């Protein structure tokens, strides 16, 4: 095939990256000492990160073709292959995943004291699953990873979570599973229509009838919208985030919810271009609602972690808005914003985990005056706060600006409405910051708890520092990251030929819905 | 290339102070910050002379964001306009940095203060030197950030933390428009570079754009969106509410950020975009009217305030209104001229009041900003008193001080601007009357009469140390002589040096009047300045019971002014409370009951169904057997009878 | 002398009916097991008879399967029964309804 570039490196780099964490999980199985387990887990995540680094170096930015491809026959009867490869859209997520996994191990160093071995096994399995999703180019393989990812997460929340963990984990699991099952139906339809193949690239070449696209889009949308999560199927997220252990929240916010948006980019938009154009308006409306709604809910939150979770809903609204603006700036902004959100919100959850270890409370009202108590921590947190608000010079600005630019370009009103989210964002984040760090302490921690509140230590600084570096790096020189996606995004946009007018697409939407009744 | 160091030096100072300040540098922070900002000043002067000899520096450092056809660089433009701004920003910063050594001495966050201040200077310089709109936006937001940090510097005070947050969020409203304006500029011109945008500005003429179904003039829309940003940053109506509250910050901050530099960014921006604003009469008139109305509106509030810094803050809002008035009538250079003189006398006023607060702080061991509790300080602080007088003479427009020239230029240009201009001139002149009144009121309440603060404190009041008074003297020098670069042609041929210098960027103002008219305008403003002085003199020095009487006579008006027209309350009731209420009562309820209700309702429904249905399972083997046998019979029956 | 096919079938049907009756009417678990065995074996009889009659070996092979399954079923059933009896000393079906919904 000419639209792929086989792996030129001397070793199968993608396979190594994906399966190294899995090997790590197996190795952990035979260990007993919790301390050895921690170091081994750290070693394996770092090794995975290092193994995957040559990808960034050797990536050919000038082409949209799949690179580092490996193909092996797997189940020939059904034409199922082991087919992996990456392009400009997925490469950055690989990087983010491997980076965040290291930090997750680090942040759990002291926090996880029960069932340590199992915890790190879950983290490593999780990492393998996530990496697998981003590299799979065969639907069967993709679906396996997609579902496999759920199990460790389910366990992470359900075993090491907060008080309400069982409810949250089951909710998380059911929500995502319901969506995924519909996607499975879609995949089976594609399999039979596309001449009994599960090759994602081959299936992307086919022109599907519009009517079929309509239903396929809905099936895929169910899976991806839940993952993103889009309004109104977002309510699993606050529960899952609030109850999950720190590392779980970081992975959830950093990578897992990016899967939905990644799915849109990899499947919905390129495979079903007509349906995309049919659905673009409702999706944009949902995105705008998510932005404003998510921000408004934040004002009412009394729980630190829950507030950040709801802010994720708002930020992911920006992402879907950018993706479905369907122009270069919007899509690139959307992808960059996914990366940004992974970095910022991931770091936020790390920070919350760090302070929670000391105060054992997530209620905002219990805080206050922390700027004096933990000045270094407050300094790091203010950086995150302003990155989240989208201050120029931080990564949040670049992403949000490109998204609003794209939305504005697509249609003015989208841009204007999205920009209101930025005002609200400043409102709730600064209010949060004030309530936690300013004024006088509301609880006397020295007197009440056995845990004196100390400033963050070296390990924690090491955990948080890489993310801070990236916040400024992307903010000051985003071209480093944007340049990876240019060709792939151009290609994505190019293939979206509008065959009729927007109005006609809207009519088609109405018509298809009316036929239901 | 060396001019890239102008913003970079303060940035390095910031990084050093913020990283090493807490553990290593501590109260030696000024040894890093002051040389850095002084270095910037030296470089700025060198850049200024470069520009004076006719060089315009425009360099791109590197490509910032590239996405599809969108492209923006990081680069600097030093032309006549930015050169003047560089001088203003760096010179005043240097003086205020030195002043802060004395003022902030012994504060727990000493290193932090200098770090933030350095960061501010960096951001402001980027804002001024940027050669494209997005980089300006970067500086624009970054100064807002520093303002947030510095207003909330004493964050343990709720009022300070609140004020910082308020400043940032109110500014966000303005930036919302500014940001959209920047996007619209790119979509219109295909570039954000000043040179390219302004080069094509002429093509805007007659272009319209579809805005929610209405055809709107493109130039007007762009300019009004940009002006939104200016309104926020320069505290014009209706977004002026943050500036008086911003006085919660330390006084050097009020002087540097909230009087001399940051708040003038809006003026600078509109002047910078003058080729665009020239394309839209509606936008120009809006700018002028907002400026004029703000000038008089803020001045009325200042009449009755008792907090010394708040009076000056409202005075700042009012003076910024003047600047916008000038811009709006097309007299860009007059606006920049006033910006430049205002920076000196307003910084002087603030630092002078800081000196007073500092002295009282030592006497009372508490911050005292209420003028009603001051009085008679003339004897104890002669130097501060003198510079205060100079600043007041300058701001009220007494002839041949800095403020006189710039204010007069603005009023004269307004006078020439047709019917609207005449009206604005009238507003401006009335505002000048009010300015004179409240400025002298401040002097008399603070320095004259007898001390009203309390027993046994007066002997502890001393003049501030040298490190505070020396910068004051420098600024006083500026407040007197800064105006001599813009002497009206009426007195000296080619006296308007600054106007001619700026002409390549800002153009020449139109309109010509007779000498008689010009003398009339000048006479009117001198007259009102003296009138305001005399009224204040009578009310606060001679007949000190008069203010009380007038206050009770016009009680409703007094209350209205004293409460700043209840604008804060209005915003609180109409925006802040509804948002909080909506999020708490409606949105959260929607989330928990409707969405969660549906989500949890479905499993509950299934559960309900299964609870009813499961009673079929009796657990008795016999029942199952019977049902089985019955099933078999049915099948046999079906086989025999139906098929 | 050949026994006609119908006799086998009648025998099979009679035994099956006895089994059904036993299963439904008796309350003793062991008797119920025996009834099930009766039913299974009655089917075996008819399978073998038809196999012989039609001269097809399949039926007889199936019989072996059935016998195996029946044996396994009896073994497991009795094991469960004994395990149950250890906890609740009764084998009266009326008193056993652990699986009540």
């Amino acid at each position: 095939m000419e639209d792929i570039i086989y792996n030129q490196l001397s070793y199968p780099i993608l396979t190594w990256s994906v399966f190294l964490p899995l090997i790590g999980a197996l190795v952990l199985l035979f260990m007993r000492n919790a301390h050895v387990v921690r170091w081994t887990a750290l070693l394996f995540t770092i090794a995975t990160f290092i193994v995957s680094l040559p990808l960034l170096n050797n990536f050919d930015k000038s082409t949209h073709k799949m690179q580092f491809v490996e193909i092996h026959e797997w189940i020939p009867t059904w034409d199922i292959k082991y087919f992996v490869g990456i392009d400009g859209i997925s490469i950055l997520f690989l990087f983010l995943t491997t980076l965040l996994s290291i930090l997750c191990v680090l942040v759990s160093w002291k926090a996880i004291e029960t069932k340590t071995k199992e915890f790190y096994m879950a983290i490593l399995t999780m990492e393998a699953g996530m990496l697998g999703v981003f590299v799979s180019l065969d639907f069967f393989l993709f679906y396996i990873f997609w579902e496999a990812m759920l199990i460790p997460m389910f366990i992470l929340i359900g075993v090491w979570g907060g008080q309400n963990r069982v409810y949250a984990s089951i909710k998380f699991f059911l929500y995502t599973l319901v969506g995924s099952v519909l996607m499975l139906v879609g995949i089976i339809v594609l399999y039979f229509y596309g001449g009994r193949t599960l090759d994602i690239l081959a299936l992307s070449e086919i022109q599907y009838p519009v009517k079929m696209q309509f239903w396929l889009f809905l099936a895929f949308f169910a899976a991806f919208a839940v993952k993103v999560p889009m309004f109104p199927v977002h309510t699993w997220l606050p529960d899952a985030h609030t109850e999950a252990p720190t590392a779980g929240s970081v992975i959830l916010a950093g990578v897992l919810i990016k899967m939905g948006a990644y799915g849109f980019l990899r499947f919905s938009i390129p495979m079903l271009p007509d349906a995309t154009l049919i659905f673009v308006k409702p999706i944009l409306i949902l995105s705008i609602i998510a932005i404003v709604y998510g921000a408004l809910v934040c004002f009412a939150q009394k729980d630190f972690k829950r507030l950040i979770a709801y802010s994720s809903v708002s930020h992911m609204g920006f992402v879907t808005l950018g993706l479905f603006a369907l122009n270069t700036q919007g899509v690139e902004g959307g992808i960059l914003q996914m990366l940004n959100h992974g970095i910022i919100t991931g770091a936020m959850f790390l920070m919350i985990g760090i302070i929670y270890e000391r105060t054992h409370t997530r209620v905002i009202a219990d805080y206050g005056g922390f700027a004096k108590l933990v000045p270094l921590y407050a300094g790091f947190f203010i950086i995150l706060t302003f990155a989240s608000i989208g201050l120029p010079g931080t990564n949040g600005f670049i992403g949000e600006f490109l998204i609003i630019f794209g939305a504005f370009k697509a249609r003015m009103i989208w841009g204007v409405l999205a920009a209101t989210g930025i005002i609200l964002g400043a409102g709730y984040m600064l209010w949060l910051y004030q309530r936690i760090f300013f004024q006088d302490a509301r609880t006397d921690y020295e007197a009440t708890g056995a845990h004196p509140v100390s400033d963050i230590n070296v390990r924690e600084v090491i955990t948080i520092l890489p993310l801070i570096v990236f916040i400024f790096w992307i903010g000051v020189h985003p071209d480093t990251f944007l340049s990876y996606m240019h060709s792939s995004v151009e290609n994505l946009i190019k293939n979206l030929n509008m065959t009729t007018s927007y109005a006609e697409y809207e009519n088609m939407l109405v018509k298809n819905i009316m036929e239901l009744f | 290339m060396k001019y890239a160091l102008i913003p970079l030096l303060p940035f390095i100072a910031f990084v050093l102070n913020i990283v090493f300040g807490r553990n290593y540098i501590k109260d030696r922070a000024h040894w890093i910050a002051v040389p850095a900002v002084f270095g910037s000043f030296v470089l700025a002067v060198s850049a200024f002379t470069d520009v004076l000899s006719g060089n315009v520096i425009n360099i791109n450092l590197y490509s910032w964001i590239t996405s599809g056809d969108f492209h923006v660089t990081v680069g600097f433009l030093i032309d006549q306009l930015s050169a003047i701004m560089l001088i203003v920003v760096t010179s005043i910063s240097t003086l205020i940095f030195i002043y802060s050594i004395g003022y902030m001495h012994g504060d727990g966050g000493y290193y932090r203060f200098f770090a933030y201040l350095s960061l501010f200077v960096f951001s402001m310089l980027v804002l001024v030197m940027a050669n494209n709109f997005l980089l300006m936006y970067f500086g624009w937001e970054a100064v807002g950030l520093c303002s947030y940090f510095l207003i909330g510097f004493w964050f343990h005070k709720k009022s300070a933390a609140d004020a910082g947050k308020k400043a940032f969020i109110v500014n966000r409203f303005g930036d919302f428009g500014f940001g959209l304006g920047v996007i619209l500029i790119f979509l219109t011109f295909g570039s954000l570079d000043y040179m390219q945008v302004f080069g094509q500005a002429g093509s805007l003429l007659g272009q319209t754009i579809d805005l929610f179904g209405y055809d709107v003039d493109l130039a007007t829309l762009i300019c009004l969106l940009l002006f939104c940003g200016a309104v926020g940053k320069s505290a014009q109506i209706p977004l002026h509410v943050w500036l008086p509250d911003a006085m919660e910050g330390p006084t050097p901050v009020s002087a540097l950020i909230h009087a001399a530099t940051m708040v003038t960014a809006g003026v600078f921006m509109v002047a910078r975009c003058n080729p665009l604003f020239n394309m839209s009469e509606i936008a120009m008139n809006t700018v002028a009217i907002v400026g004029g109305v703000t000038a008089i509106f803020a001045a009325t509030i200042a009449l009755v305030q008792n907090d010394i810094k708040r009076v000056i803050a409202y005075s700042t809002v009012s003076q910024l209104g003047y600047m916008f008035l000038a811009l709006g009538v097309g007299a860009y250079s007059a606006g920049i001229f006033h910006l430049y003189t205002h920076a000196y006398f307003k910084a002087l006023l603030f630092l002078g009041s800081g000196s007073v607060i500092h002295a009282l702080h030592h006497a009372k061991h508490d911050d005292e900003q209420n003028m009603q509790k001051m009085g008679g300080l003339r004897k104890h602080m002669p130097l501060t008193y003198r510079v205060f007088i100079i600043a007041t003479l300058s701001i009220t427009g007494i002839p041949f001080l800095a403020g006189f020239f710039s204010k007069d230029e603005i009023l004269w240009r307004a006078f020439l601007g047709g019917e609207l201009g005449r009206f604005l001139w009238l507003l401006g002149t009335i505002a000048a009357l009010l300015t004179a009144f409240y400025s002298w009121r401040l002097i008399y309440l603070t320095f004259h009469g007898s001390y009203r603060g309390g027993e046994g404190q007066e002997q502890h009041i001393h003049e501030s140390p040298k490190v505070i008074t020396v910068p004051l003297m420098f600024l006083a020098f500026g407040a007197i002589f800064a105006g001599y670069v813009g002497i009206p042609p009426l007195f000296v041929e080619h006296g308007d040096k600054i106007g001619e210098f700026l002409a390549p960027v800002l153009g020449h103002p139109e309109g010509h009047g007779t000498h008689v008219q010009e003398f009339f305008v000048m006479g009117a403003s001198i007259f009102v300045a003296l009138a305001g002085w005399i009224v204040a003199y009578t009310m606060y020095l001679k007949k000190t019971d008069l203010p009380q009487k007038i206050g009770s006579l016009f009680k409703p008006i007094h209350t209205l002014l004293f409460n700043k027209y209840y604008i804060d309350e209005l915003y609180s009731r109409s925006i802040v409370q509804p948002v909080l209420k909506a999020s708490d009562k409606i949105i959260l309820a929607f989330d928990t009951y409707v969405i969660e209700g549906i989500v949890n309702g479905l499993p509950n429904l299934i559960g309900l169904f299964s609870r009813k249905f499961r009673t079929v399972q009796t657990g008795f083997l016999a029942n199952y057997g019977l049902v089985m046998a019955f099933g078999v019979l049915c099948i046999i029956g079906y086989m025999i009878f139906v098929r | 002398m050949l026994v006609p096919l119908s006799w086998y079938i009648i025998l099979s049907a009679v035994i099956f009916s006895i089994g059904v009756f036993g299963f439904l009417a008796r309350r003793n678990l062991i008797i119920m097991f025996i009834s099930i065995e009766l039913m299974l074996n009655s089917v075996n009889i008819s399978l073998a008879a038809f196999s012989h009659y039609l001269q097809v070996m399949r039926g007889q092979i199936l019989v072996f399967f059935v016998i195996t399954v029946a044996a396994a079923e009896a073994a497991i059933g009795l094991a469960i029964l004994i395990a149950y009896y250890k906890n609740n000393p009764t084998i009266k079906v009326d008193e056993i309804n652990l699986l009540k919904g």
Side-chain angles (χ1 to χ4, degrees), chain B residues 447-593:
Chain B
F447 292 101
H448 292 257
S450 54
Y451 185 68
R452 297 179 293 275
E455 296 295 313
Q457 293 169 359
E458 205 173 349
Q459 64 269 27
H460 293 295
I461 302 173
H462 299 294
E463 181 61 271
S464 301
K466 279 255 167 8
V467 70
I468 286 184
T469 50
V470 171
L472 290 182
M473 287 189 272
F474 273 102
L475 286 171
F477 184 79
I480 300 171
F481 297 107
Y484 286 96
V485 296
I487 305 166
L490 189 63
F491 298 143
V492 181
E493 196 69 19
H494 295 297
D496 189 11
K497 288 270 186 294
I498 190 166
E500 286 168 17
F501 177 66
L502 286 169
V505 186
L506 301 179
H508 288 285
E510 293 162 18
H512 292 283
T514 61
H515 284 324
V516 179
Q517 285 174 322
E518 198 166 352
F519 275 120
F520 165 69
V521 169
M522 200 179 286
S525 55
I526 295 170
F527 171 74
V528 294
L530 293 174
W533 188 355
I534 292 163
V535 174
Y537 180 78
T538 349
M539 277 173 73
Y540 290 95
L541 220 54
K542 291 294 148 204
K543 301 204 165 111
T544 42
D545 55 336
L546 211 56
Q548 273 286 318
K549 280 188 194 153
I550 297 178
S552 51
L553 199 61
F554 299 100
K555 188 121 186 85
I557 296 177
H558 185 266
T559 324
L560 186 68
L561 292 181
F562 191 75
N563 290 302
K564 308 148 211 161
Y565 295 96
Y566 295 100
I567 303 252
D568 277 320
E569 286 75 7
L570 180 75
Y571 287 168
S572 168
R573 293 255 171 85
S574 66
I575 297 173
V576 181
Q577 296 304 330
V579 165
L580 291 183
K581 274 228 179 72
S583 74
D584 200 31
K585 296 268 150 48
I586 303 170
I587 304 275
L588 192 64
F590 182 77
D591 213 57
T592 14
Y593 297 113

Side-chain angles (χ1 to χ4, degrees), chain A residues 171 293 296 310 329 422, chain B residues 62 67 69 172 583 591 596:
Chain A
K171 192 168 174 182
Y293 181 91
L296 283 176
Y310 269 109
Q329 288 82 14
I422 290 186
Chain B
Y62 70 94
S67 175
D69 55 359
R172 272 268 151 150
S583 74
D591 213 57
E596 285 282 75

Side-chain angles (χ1 to χ4, degrees), chain A residues 171 229 231 234-239 241-242 257 289-317 341 345 349 428-429, chain B residues 587-593 595-596:
Chain A
K171 192 168 174 182
F231 179 87
H234 62 273
T235 51
W236 65 269
L237 187 75
D239 283 321
H241 266 320
T242 316
I257 63 176
I289 293 177
I291 291 172
V292 177
Y293 181 91
L296 283 176
V297 178
C298 284
F299 280 102
Q301 293 307 321
K302 306 201 166 36
D303 183 314
F304 203 163
K305 227 174 165 184
R306 223 178 156 79
L307 194 153
I308 303 298
Y310 269 109
S311 81
S312 289
V313 175
S314 185
H315 284 146
M316 290 311 282
H341 178 259
T345 311
F349 281 119
Y428 64 76
M429 284 311 293
Chain B
I587 304 275
L588 192 64
F590 182 77
D591 213 57
T592 14
Y593 297 113
I595 296 184
E596 285 282 75

Side-chain angles (χ1 to χ4, degrees), chain C residues 71-86:
Chain C
E73 181 242 313
I76 294 170
L78 284 172
I80 293 173
L81 184 67
I82 290 165
Y84 183 82
Y85 187 78
K86 276 179 183 165

